[in-house]
Amino acid sequence: MLNSIFYKTVFKDFAFLVLRLFTGSLLIHHGFEKLNDINNFADAFVRPLHLPFPVALSYLAAGSEIGGSWLLILGLGTRLGASAILGTMSVAIYHAIVTSGFNIYLLELLALYFASALSIILLGPGKFSSDYIIKEIFKTTPELTLSIFSKQLPAKSSSSNLKLTKSINQKKTFNFPFSSFLSS
């Protein structure tokens, strides 16, 4: 009884929701700021690292922050969005260390975004996400999964429905590919 009260509550999944929403909504404006003056961002942050195609990489950084933030907010492709954010924050941390050393005032916000994205990748989006809903739909309706992957719709004849029912009964343990990656 105490175990279910202290360890198996809905608050864990609510905490994942809060982490995703706050990380996404607070980071998204950084991507839009980059888009406002992309050449200035490229001159200030990408060119000092001597990376090729600085304007293209600046668009990539802005796109990963905006797109990754939306994926976190929606909970759809959450780990993919968090991976995009993690990559951008890794380069930003590298830039901050190369240009200013270990200046805590520059690194603290970057490190918080890095830690948030890494936590979301490792722990998953939680039950309050689109990823979890999609996983549950594919888990509870194996005929939908089979019809998608066999590229045929269930036929109207009773003999084909009987074959489909038999194949569903035989493959009850079928798991949707990457279902463990969608949600934990």
Side-chain angles (χ1 to χ4, degrees):
M1 168 98 174
L2 288 177
N3 188 24
S4 65
I5 292 172
F6 290 120
Y7 297 111
K8 296 190 181 209
T9 65
V10 73
F11 294 124
K12 178 181 83 170
D13 294 307
F14 184 71
F16 292 150
L17 174 68
V18 169
L19 180 65
R20 286 188 302 107
L21 290 178
F22 274 78
T23 302
S25 59
L26 292 174
L27 181 64
I28 198 166
H29 85 277
H30 291 286
F32 285 118
E33 284 179 358
K34 287 175 183 55
L35 288 180
N36 281 337
D37 193 0
I38 200 75
N39 289 322
N40 184 32
F41 176 78
D43 290 337
F45 294 100
V46 182
R47 284 194 176 99
L49 296 177
H50 306 291
L51 295 172
F53 311 110
V55 175
L57 288 177
S58 299
Y59 278 115
L60 181 66
S64 69
E65 287 180 2
I66 294 169
S69 294
W70 275 114
L71 290 176
L72 291 184
I73 291 167
L74 297 174
L76 180 66
T78 309
R79 287 182 166 140
L80 177 67
S83 297
I85 291 169
L86 187 72
T88 303
M89 290 302 113
S90 299
V91 174
I93 289 171
Y94 175 73
H95 174 269
I97 291 172
V98 166
T99 58
S100 301
F102 287 98
N103 184 350
I104 190 65
Y105 298 109
L106 292 175
L107 289 175
E108 63 184 352
L109 184 61
L110 299 173
L112 284 172
Y113 284 133
F114 182 89
S116 297
L118 184 63
S119 298
I120 292 167
I121 290 170
L122 295 176
L123 298 173
K127 289 184 180 179
F128 301 120
S129 66
S130 301
D131 289 340
Y132 182 80
I133 294 169
I134 291 169
K135 178 184 143 189
E136 289 299 312
I137 289 171
F138 280 113
K139 192 162 88 174
T140 57
T141 56
E143 64 273 359
L144 175 66
T145 307
L146 287 174
S147 67
I148 289 172
F149 289 112
S150 66
K151 294 185 181 180
Q152 66 182 8
L153 294 175
K156 294 182 180 179
S157 67
S158 62
S159 64
S160 63
N161 284 338
L162 182 62
K163 289 178 185 177
L164 180 62
T165 305
K166 285 182 182 179
S167 68
I168 291 169
N169 290 335
Q170 292 173 353
K171 295 186 177 187
K172 280 191 175 181
T173 60
F174 177 79
N175 289 327
F176 180 70
F178 308 112
S179 64
S180 62
F181 189 73
L182 288 174
S183 175
S184 54

